[in-house]
Every structure is written in structure tokens, then in C-alpha cells.
Amino acid sequence: MYNFDECPPRQGTESVKWDEFPGTLPMWVADMDFRIAPEIQQALQKRLDHGVFGYELLPDSYFEVMGRWFSSRHGWEGISRENIVPTTGVIAAYSAAIKAMTVPGDKVLVMTPCYNAFFPAIRNNKCIQQDCPLQYDGKHFIVDWDLFEKLAAGCKVFLLCNPHNPVGRVWTREELLLMAEICRRNGVFVISDEIHCELTYPGHDYTPWATLPQEYVKDSVSCISPTKAFNIAGIQIANIYAAHPEILKKMDRAINDNECCDVNVFGATALQAAYGQGGPWLDELRNYLYHNARTVCCYLEDEMPQITCPPLEGTYLMWLDCRAALKPGEPLEGFSERFAGHLREKHGLVLSTGTIYGASGEGFERLNIACPRTRLLDGLERLRDGIKSYQNA
């Protein structure tokens, strides 16, 4: 029903992804090259045709459609106007949540490698980052539970990425319960960034943090948004969910303190269209992305067996272990940046350098697969050729 093999050209549209490095194949920034769902485009066009874009109230339908979506899709009951604080984006949401729940000097726990915007949000709130590096056995990323508990004992907040960017994990309910219990025992408040929650693949179901037992949910907030899954990141809209009224008041105060309390009219329209009518488009998208991920795995196995990648459980971002491309005697330190620079300069392929997601990202590169399959294959061929030329340079 929807065609993901054809995309409008984005060069020259002031696109960060396409215009930051002109003349390259960009497979870095986490937005998709696909045209948005026609249902969203039509809703935006109707709103545009009205011709007046003043300050607006959020209607009851905004909260009702969000509640129906998360209830029917994810078993998350109870979303309503009474427990939601709207804001401009998920980064603004968790930054405000850190502000609300910490004082300068408090420690914030993150599992690295993790989304790089976590780092300035912690730093700008004058908090101290505590890294709990994920463990990689060559096939999967798992939590070092002993280290997690040790670090949690000294932290005020745990900033969670669920599903996890960049390693592509969809945390199981059992894993989340273990995180939650450790945080409860140590008095750690949980902020869960769930922007990638719709982008999961067969056998890996997203578990909203807010569906855990109430003893864990009461000391947490969840940051949700349709922007990543529906490719509307440029239309800023997100929501903070809090089950406890006092926590909600703190979030509302922090959002106002940070001056990110007013959402734009197109964001509200897009959210309602996405959650109200975008289901069929999303389902087809997920199927297309799943087959893109399978294409990457098969190509690596056949053409670049030295490059490995954990199975993609969620997001459209694949985490490539490129350490086997090191030249004999070459130090690992700085390799991710050197290799990414070589791919960009010699082969016109732009990936995200692993170390921007933390020191534990050294040796890895992040690949965005949210593009037509022909474009994906072009990128894989450039990667293959780049490995050969790097090792021969």
C-alpha cells in the first residue's frame, strides 16, 4: 500500500542529514528518507490551509488519541490529560526531568554507549555522569548488573534509553524489572526515553516503563513522542508521563523554567494524525526496515565477515563492530574517528562515529538503515570498498 522504495530528493532542502556533507551518501543522522504517512501529510495540509497559526490550546482529542494508541498497541493504560506534560521534544523532556529531580553535583547513571544528547543534558544541569558500559560478547549487548548496582548506590537519577540507541536493544520486561528493583533499593529516580518505542521487530516487544508495578513507576517519568517512528522529527512534539501528581507538578515547573512548555500547532496536528491514522503505515514501515536489517546482516556475512553487528531488535540504527578492520599494529584509540573519516573522504559514505556515544563506542560505527534498499546496498558497497582501501592505505 505504501511505497518505501521511492523517496523524494532531500539535497538542497536544508536537511542536516543530506546537506551537512554535500555530495556524500549520508547514513548517520537518525531521520528517515521516506515520505511521511499520507494521512499525516493530509492532516498537516488541512491545518495549513486554515491560514492562521496563533496560540492554541491542546484539545481533549490530543490526549485521548495518545491514550488509545498506547493502550491498544502496548497495553499501557491510563494516559490522560491529568498525567501528561506536553513539550517541544524528548531532549527537552528529559533535560527538564533531570533539572526537576536533581541539584548540581548529583550523579546521573547512563548505560553506554548511549544517545549522545544525554551527555549535554546531564552536563548542562551541572550533574555528574556515571557510565555503566554495556557488555558485548560478539553477539549481544547485556547489562553488567554488578556494576549497575554498584553505581546506582551513588546516583540520584537513572537515564534510560528504551529501546536503546545506538546498540539496538529492546529491553525485556525482566531486564526492566531488575533495573527498577535496583533503582528502588537505592532511591534512584528513573527517566525513560522511549522515543524509539514503535520501532521494534519480530520477537522483541517494547515494554513501557510505565507498565511496571506501581512501586517502580511512582518514582519515574517516561518521555514519549511519535516523531522518530513517523519521521516527523522536524515537527517538534513530545510528552512527559508521570503517574504521581507531585512528580507531574515538578515536571511542569521544570518545563516552564526551561521555556519549552509551548508546543507548535503542527506538532499537535501531526501527533493526532500519527496516533489516530498512522498505524497501517507504521506496520508496513517496520516490515520494510526489518528486511533492510536482514539485508545488512546477509551482506556483512557474505562480503565483510570481519564486520559484525548484533541482531537489530529495535530502532533503525545498526551498531557495526569494525575493530577487525584495524591495520596490524594500529592502536584502537581514535580508530572510530579515523575510519569514519576515511569512509567519508574516500568513499563518500557518512556514518556516525562510535565514540560520540561514549568511550565504549570505540571501534564501532552507527549505520542508519531507514532508506530505500537500493540506497542501502550502495552504502554497504561503499563500506566494503572502504575497508579494503583503509587497510591498504
Side-chain angles (χ1 to χ4, degrees):
M1 180 177 177
Y2 303 101
N3 185 359
F4 296 103
D5 288 318
E6 294 183 5
C7 296
R10 299 184 64 192
Q11 299 94 330
T13 63
E14 311 306 327
S15 161
V16 170
K17 182 178 181 180
W18 282 88
D19 292 337
E20 182 78 12
F21 302 102
T24 65
L25 178 60
M27 304 184 79
W28 60 304
V29 171
D31 68 15
M32 297 187 277
D33 290 334
F34 308 124
R35 191 182 299 276
I36 64 172
E39 295 83 357
I40 300 176
Q41 189 165 354
Q42 290 161 11
L44 290 170
Q45 186 62 58
K46 181 179 179 180
R47 184 66 190 85
L48 180 65
D49 289 343
H50 180 260
V52 180
F53 315 112
Y55 300 113
E56 293 193 357
L57 301 172
L58 287 176
D60 289 340
S61 58
Y62 176 93
F63 303 93
E64 291 166 357
V65 72
M66 188 161 35
R68 286 194 299 270
W69 175 273
F70 281 96
S71 173
S72 62
R73 288 253 168 175
H74 307 299
W76 178 357
E77 306 290 347
I79 289 179
S80 68
R81 184 186 287 272
E82 285 67 42
N83 50 36
I84 289 288
V85 176
T87 186
T88 55
V90 162
I91 295 175
Y94 60 69
S95 180
I98 294 171
K99 181 184 184 72
M101 303 311 300
T102 65
V103 296
D106 281 344
K107 295 177 181 179
V108 177
L109 178 62
V110 293
M111 297 190 299
T112 56
C114 65
Y115 180 42
N116 54 303
F118 279 13
F119 307 145
I122 296 168
R123 185 174 61 249
N124 292 343
N125 281 294
K126 299 180 174 59
C127 291
I128 300 168
Q129 179 179 317
Q130 293 288 285
D131 291 359
C132 181
L134 295 169
Q135 303 300 298
Y136 184 49
D137 61 7
K139 293 183 178 180
H140 300 94
F141 279 89
I142 58 174
V143 180
D144 182 337
W145 295 110
D146 290 338
L147 179 59
F148 186 90
E149 177 131 34
K150 178 181 178 182
L151 292 172
C155 288
K156 186 68 174 291
V157 163
F158 169 41
L159 182 52
L160 169 67
C161 199
N162 175 38
H164 193 91
N165 169 18
V167 306
R169 278 298 317 277
V170 176
W171 303 115
T172 66
R173 185 173 183 84
E174 290 72 24
E175 287 171 316
L176 293 175
L177 284 169
L178 189 47
M179 295 175 197
E181 176 56 24
I182 291 172
C183 288
R184 185 196 66 78
R185 285 202 304 264
N186 290 282
V188 179
F189 189 87
V190 178
I191 301 170
S192 186
D193 171 1
E194 305 191 350
I195 194 171
H196 290 275
C197 67
E198 309 301 341
L199 299 168
T200 61
Y201 304 112
H204 303 284
D205 294 328
Y206 152 69
T207 300
W209 184 273
T211 63
L212 299 183
Q214 189 59 220
E215 61 190 287
Y216 304 130
V217 177
K218 65 182 180 65
D219 291 317
S220 74
V221 295
S222 299
C223 306
I224 53 177
S225 172
T227 56
K228 196 65 67 177
F230 290 95
N231 202 30
I232 49 175
I235 302 176
Q236 299 277 301
I237 190 73
N239 296 279
I240 302 174
Y241 170 88
H244 195 292
E246 289 304 314
I247 299 297
L248 197 74
K249 288 180 183 178
K250 290 183 178 181
M251 296 304 124
D252 187 58
R253 180 69 268 158
I255 286 291
N256 279 273
D257 286 347
N258 283 7
E259 302 293 354
C260 53
C261 53
D262 294 321
V263 301
N264 71 76
V265 297
F266 294 106
T269 296
L271 179 145
Q272 292 178 84
Y275 289 148
Q277 303 165 267
W281 181 90
L282 178 64
D283 291 339
E284 288 195 28
L285 168 74
R286 291 168 65 199
N287 183 62
Y288 193 92
L289 291 173
Y290 173 73
H291 287 287
N292 269 6
R294 293 297 308 142
T295 297
V296 172
C297 291
C298 291
Y299 194 97
L300 292 179
E301 185 177 342
D302 293 342
E303 301 287 339
M304 294 175 279
Q306 69 271 52
I307 304 300
T308 61
C309 180
L312 188 62
E313 299 175 1
T315 81
Y316 49 75
L317 306 162
M318 300 192 74
W319 191 236
L320 306 181
D321 184 354
C322 300
R323 289 174 291 182
L326 279 163
K327 303 173 190 177
E330 181 184 7
L332 178 61
E333 184 178 0
F335 168 70
S336 288
E337 187 172 349
R338 293 192 300 272
F339 185 52
H342 175 82
L343 292 174
R344 183 174 64 248
E345 294 163 12
K346 302 298 183 182
H347 297 272
L349 175 64
V350 186
L351 305 181
S352 293
T353 306
T355 46
I356 70 173
Y357 307 102
S360 60
E362 186 64 87
F364 292 80
E365 310 288 348
R366 194 186 75 170
L367 171 72
N368 180 343
I369 64 168
C371 61
R373 204 151 294 137
T374 53
R375 189 172 295 165
L376 177 64
L377 288 169
D378 181 10
L380 291 172
E381 290 170 1
R382 295 181 192 222
L383 177 61
R384 178 199 60 200
D385 296 343
I387 291 171
K388 294 178 182 177
S389 64
Y390 182 84
Q391 292 179 324
N392 293 329

